[in-house]
mmCIF file of all heavy atoms in Angstrom:
data_model
loop_
_atom_site.group_PDB
_atom_site.id
_atom_site.type_symbol
_atom_site.label_atom_id
_atom_site.label_comp_id
_atom_site.label_asym_id
_atom_site.label_seq_id
_atom_site.Cartn_x
_atom_site.Cartn_y
_atom_site.Cartn_z
ATOM 1 N N LEU P 37 54.986 106.294 87.200
ATOM 2 C CA LEU P 37 56.042 106.975 86.472
ATOM 3 C C LEU P 37 57.242 107.287 87.369
ATOM 4 O O LEU P 37 58.396 107.057 87.000
ATOM 5 C CB LEU P 37 55.488 108.278 85.881
ATOM 6 C CG LEU P 37 56.399 109.016 84.887
ATOM 7 C CD1 LEU P 37 56.750 108.129 83.708
ATOM 8 C CD2 LEU P 37 55.750 110.302 84.423
ATOM 9 N N ASP P 73 52.801 113.264 98.857
ATOM 10 C CA ASP P 73 51.836 114.173 98.246
ATOM 11 C C ASP P 73 51.079 114.928 99.355
ATOM 12 O O ASP P 73 50.703 114.348 100.377
ATOM 13 C CB ASP P 73 50.863 113.375 97.374
ATOM 14 C CG ASP P 73 49.924 114.291 96.606
ATOM 15 O OD1 ASP P 73 50.279 115.466 96.403
ATOM 16 O OD2 ASP P 73 48.840 113.816 96.235
ATOM 17 N N GLY P 81 48.749 115.823 103.812
ATOM 18 C CA GLY P 81 50.159 115.461 103.893
ATOM 19 C C GLY P 81 50.963 116.419 104.751
ATOM 20 O O GLY P 81 51.856 116.002 105.499
ATOM 21 N N LEU P 88 55.458 112.566 111.725
ATOM 22 C CA LEU P 88 56.562 111.830 111.087
ATOM 23 C C LEU P 88 57.905 112.251 111.662
ATOM 24 O O LEU P 88 58.779 111.412 111.911
ATOM 25 C CB LEU P 88 56.537 112.083 109.576
ATOM 26 C CG LEU P 88 55.376 111.461 108.794
ATOM 27 C CD1 LEU P 88 55.388 111.937 107.350
ATOM 28 C CD2 LEU P 88 55.449 109.933 108.855
ATOM 29 N N ARG P 89 58.085 113.536 111.873
ATOM 30 C CA ARG P 89 59.351 114.025 112.421
ATOM 31 C C ARG P 89 59.585 113.500 113.839
ATOM 32 O O ARG P 89 60.698 113.180 114.227
ATOM 33 C CB ARG P 89 59.345 115.545 112.429
ATOM 34 C CG ARG P 89 59.857 116.147 111.153
ATOM 35 C CD ARG P 89 61.377 116.052 111.077
ATOM 36 N NE ARG P 89 61.844 116.193 109.712
ATOM 37 C CZ ARG P 89 62.327 115.240 108.967
ATOM 38 N NH1 ARG P 89 62.397 114.012 109.431
ATOM 39 N NH2 ARG P 89 62.773 115.464 107.750
ATOM 40 N N LEU P 115 57.551 122.870 109.000
ATOM 41 C CA LEU P 115 56.989 121.728 109.712
ATOM 42 C C LEU P 115 57.882 120.494 109.674
ATOM 43 O O LEU P 115 57.550 119.478 110.278
ATOM 44 C CB LEU P 115 55.604 121.380 109.118
ATOM 45 C CG LEU P 115 54.492 122.397 109.394
ATOM 46 C CD1 LEU P 115 53.246 122.044 108.605
ATOM 47 C CD2 LEU P 115 54.174 122.431 110.889
ATOM 48 N N ALA P 117 59.710 119.259 106.573
ATOM 49 C CA ALA P 117 60.070 118.691 105.268
ATOM 50 C C ALA P 117 61.479 119.124 104.888
ATOM 51 O O ALA P 117 61.929 120.219 105.236
ATOM 52 C CB ALA P 117 59.070 119.137 104.200
ATOM 53 N N GLU P 155 81.375 110.184 122.921
ATOM 54 C CA GLU P 155 80.881 109.989 124.283
ATOM 55 C C GLU P 155 81.403 108.676 124.874
ATOM 56 O O GLU P 155 81.800 108.604 126.044
ATOM 57 C CB GLU P 155 79.358 109.983 124.289
ATOM 58 C CG GLU P 155 78.739 111.367 124.051
ATOM 59 C CD GLU P 155 79.118 112.345 125.137
ATOM 60 O OE1 GLU P 155 79.146 111.957 126.316
ATOM 61 O OE2 GLU P 155 79.396 113.515 124.795
ATOM 62 N N LEU P 176 100.467 112.715 125.660
ATOM 63 C CA LEU P 176 100.055 114.045 125.234
ATOM 64 C C LEU P 176 101.226 114.987 125.065
ATOM 65 O O LEU P 176 101.105 116.011 124.416
ATOM 66 C CB LEU P 176 99.059 114.635 126.242
ATOM 67 C CG LEU P 176 97.703 113.927 126.296
ATOM 68 C CD1 LEU P 176 96.839 114.533 127.373
ATOM 69 C CD2 LEU P 176 97.008 113.985 124.949
ATOM 70 N N ALA P 187 106.956 104.934 124.037
ATOM 71 C CA ALA P 187 106.303 105.122 125.333
ATOM 72 C C ALA P 187 105.341 103.977 125.626
ATOM 73 O O ALA P 187 105.216 103.518 126.770
ATOM 74 C CB ALA P 187 105.558 106.464 125.343
ATOM 75 N N TRP P 233 117.590 94.437 134.353
ATOM 76 C CA TRP P 233 116.923 94.776 135.613
ATOM 77 C C TRP P 233 117.927 95.294 136.644
ATOM 78 O O TRP P 233 117.614 96.191 137.427
ATOM 79 C CB TRP P 233 116.198 93.546 136.141
ATOM 80 C CG TRP P 233 115.014 93.177 135.285
ATOM 81 C CD1 TRP P 233 114.238 94.005 134.535
ATOM 82 C CD2 TRP P 233 114.495 91.861 135.098
ATOM 83 N NE1 TRP P 233 113.262 93.302 133.879
ATOM 84 C CE2 TRP P 233 113.388 91.972 134.201
ATOM 85 C CE3 TRP P 233 114.830 90.590 135.572
ATOM 86 C CZ2 TRP P 233 112.634 90.889 133.790
ATOM 87 C CZ3 TRP P 233 114.072 89.515 135.165
ATOM 88 C CH2 TRP P 233 112.986 89.658 134.285
ATOM 89 N N VAL P 268 102.236 90.062 108.272
ATOM 90 C CA VAL P 268 101.041 89.230 108.086
ATOM 91 C C VAL P 268 100.092 89.944 107.138
ATOM 92 O O VAL P 268 99.704 91.099 107.367
ATOM 93 C CB VAL P 268 100.341 88.953 109.429
ATOM 94 C CG1 VAL P 268 99.115 88.073 109.203
ATOM 95 C CG2 VAL P 268 101.300 88.306 110.412
ATOM 96 N N SER P 286 90.967 90.394 122.564
ATOM 97 C CA SER P 286 92.274 89.835 122.889
ATOM 98 C C SER P 286 92.257 88.323 122.762
ATOM 99 O O SER P 286 91.227 87.668 122.973
ATOM 100 C CB SER P 286 92.676 90.233 124.306
ATOM 101 O OG SER P 286 92.727 91.641 124.438
ATOM 102 N N PHE P 296 91.764 79.502 118.985
ATOM 103 C CA PHE P 296 92.020 79.493 117.542
ATOM 104 C C PHE P 296 93.358 78.787 117.273
ATOM 105 O O PHE P 296 94.188 78.638 118.174
ATOM 106 C CB PHE P 296 92.064 80.921 116.987
ATOM 107 C CG PHE P 296 90.850 81.730 117.304
ATOM 108 C CD1 PHE P 296 90.910 82.797 118.206
ATOM 109 C CD2 PHE P 296 89.622 81.434 116.714
ATOM 110 C CE1 PHE P 296 89.800 83.537 118.500
ATOM 111 C CE2 PHE P 296 88.494 82.181 117.014
ATOM 112 C CZ PHE P 296 88.577 83.235 117.908
ATOM 113 N N GLU P 364 99.011 114.511 110.200
ATOM 114 C CA GLU P 364 98.221 114.897 109.034
ATOM 115 C C GLU P 364 97.874 116.378 109.086
ATOM 116 O O GLU P 364 97.951 117.086 108.074
ATOM 117 C CB GLU P 364 96.935 114.059 108.979
ATOM 118 C CG GLU P 364 96.024 114.381 107.820
ATOM 119 C CD GLU P 364 96.602 114.046 106.476
ATOM 120 O OE1 GLU P 364 97.605 113.288 106.417
ATOM 121 O OE2 GLU P 364 96.091 114.562 105.470
ATOM 122 N N TYR P 392 94.083 136.402 80.301
ATOM 123 C CA TYR P 392 94.141 135.700 79.036
ATOM 124 C C TYR P 392 92.895 134.813 78.846
ATOM 125 O O TYR P 392 92.387 134.661 77.745
ATOM 126 C CB TYR P 392 95.406 134.845 78.954
ATOM 127 C CG TYR P 392 96.610 135.625 78.504
ATOM 128 C CD1 TYR P 392 97.620 135.946 79.399
ATOM 129 C CD2 TYR P 392 96.730 136.034 77.183
ATOM 130 C CE1 TYR P 392 98.720 136.665 78.988
ATOM 131 C CE2 TYR P 392 97.836 136.761 76.764
ATOM 132 C CZ TYR P 392 98.838 137.061 77.671
ATOM 133 O OH TYR P 392 99.915 137.781 77.272
ATOM 134 N N ALA P 394 89.882 135.434 80.056
ATOM 135 C CA ALA P 394 88.721 136.281 79.772
ATOM 136 C C ALA P 394 88.773 136.837 78.351
ATOM 137 O O ALA P 394 87.793 136.778 77.608
ATOM 138 C CB ALA P 394 88.668 137.430 80.801
ATOM 139 N N GLU P 425 80.449 138.277 33.849
ATOM 140 C CA GLU P 425 81.508 138.995 33.142
ATOM 141 C C GLU P 425 81.229 140.495 33.139
ATOM 142 O O GLU P 425 81.998 141.270 32.547
ATOM 143 C CB GLU P 425 81.602 138.482 31.698
ATOM 144 C CG GLU P 425 82.034 137.027 31.604
ATOM 145 C CD GLU P 425 82.150 136.555 30.161
ATOM 146 O OE1 GLU P 425 81.818 137.372 29.249
ATOM 147 O OE2 GLU P 425 82.557 135.402 29.955
ATOM 148 N N MET P 436 83.505 143.033 47.932
ATOM 149 C CA MET P 436 82.933 142.223 49.022
ATOM 150 C C MET P 436 83.909 141.139 49.452
ATOM 151 O O MET P 436 84.113 140.895 50.648
ATOM 152 C CB MET P 436 81.624 141.580 48.543
ATOM 153 C CG MET P 436 80.492 142.563 48.346
ATOM 154 S SD MET P 436 79.042 141.765 47.607
ATOM 155 C CE MET P 436 78.652 140.594 48.892
ATOM 156 N N ARG P 495 116.788 111.743 90.749
ATOM 157 C CA ARG P 495 117.672 112.909 90.700
ATOM 158 C C ARG P 495 116.924 114.098 90.123
ATOM 159 O O ARG P 495 116.284 113.994 89.079
ATOM 160 C CB ARG P 495 118.902 112.600 89.834
ATOM 161 C CG ARG P 495 119.954 113.703 89.825
ATOM 162 C CD ARG P 495 121.137 113.301 88.942
ATOM 163 N NE ARG P 495 120.719 113.205 87.552
ATOM 164 C CZ ARG P 495 120.715 114.247 86.713
ATOM 165 N NH1 ARG P 495 121.098 115.445 87.126
ATOM 166 N NH2 ARG P 495 120.339 114.094 85.450
ATOM 167 N N LEU P 574 97.389 129.309 75.188
ATOM 168 C CA LEU P 574 98.228 128.308 74.548
ATOM 169 C C LEU P 574 99.296 128.951 73.681
ATOM 170 O O LEU P 574 100.443 128.509 73.657
ATOM 171 C CB LEU P 574 97.380 127.356 73.709
ATOM 172 C CG LEU P 574 98.158 126.282 72.936
ATOM 173 C CD1 LEU P 574 98.914 125.383 73.903
ATOM 174 C CD2 LEU P 574 97.228 125.455 72.079
ATOM 175 N N GLN P 578 103.194 128.416 74.080
ATOM 176 C CA GLN P 578 103.990 127.978 72.946
ATOM 177 C C GLN P 578 105.174 128.910 72.711
ATOM 178 O O GLN P 578 106.305 128.474 72.492
ATOM 179 C CB GLN P 578 103.125 127.896 71.701
ATOM 180 C CG GLN P 578 103.866 127.442 70.450
ATOM 181 C CD GLN P 578 102.995 127.537 69.211
ATOM 182 O OE1 GLN P 578 101.854 127.987 69.299
ATOM 183 N NE2 GLN P 578 103.529 127.130 68.083
#
Side-chain angles (χ1 to χ4, degrees):
L37 190 58
D73 186 23
L88 291 173
R89 272 284 161 252
L115 290 172
E155 288 298 320
L176 293 177
W233 290 331
V268 181
S286 301
F296 306 110
E364 179 66 16
Y392 276 108
E425 295 181 356
M436 291 173 63
R495 186 180 66 87
L574 178 61
Q578 180 186 2

